[in-house]
Amino acid sequence: MSISRIPASLADLAVPVDQLAAYRRNPRTGDLDAFAESLSTNGQYQPFVINKSSPTGRLKEVLAGGHTLKGGRSVSAGARTR
């Protein structure tokens, strides 16, 4: 995982994206293609909010930023197929 753009004071909090799970009760739907296009053009500015530890056992679940996660995975999948 590249952490070159993460401030040194936050580097210990970085988690590889492939270890994150989408929040299973996220009621929101959105235009994932628009998210993917924005991420490709602008990159990611807002961090994910995740469960670092949880009494439910669902660790590393994305509580905020679920569409960014899905859009980013879409971008990554597209890059691998080129």
Side-chain angles (χ1 to χ4, degrees), residues 30-43 67-68 70-72 74-75:
D31 187 345
L32 291 179
D33 290 336
F35 274 92
E37 182 179 340
S38 177
L39 288 168
S40 293
T41 303
N42 305 307
H67 280 82
T68 303
K70 289 179 182 178
S74 174
V75 169

Side-chain angles (χ1 to χ4, degrees), residues 7-44:
S9 61
L10 300 175
D12 290 342
L13 300 173
V15 176
V17 174
D18 61 347
Q19 292 182 10
L20 300 178
Y23 178 58
R24 62 188 180 91
R25 291 187 176 170
N26 185 354
R28 296 182 183 199
T29 59
D31 187 345
L32 291 179
D33 290 336
F35 274 92
E37 182 179 340
S38 177
L39 288 168
S40 293
T41 303
N42 305 307
Q44 180 182 346

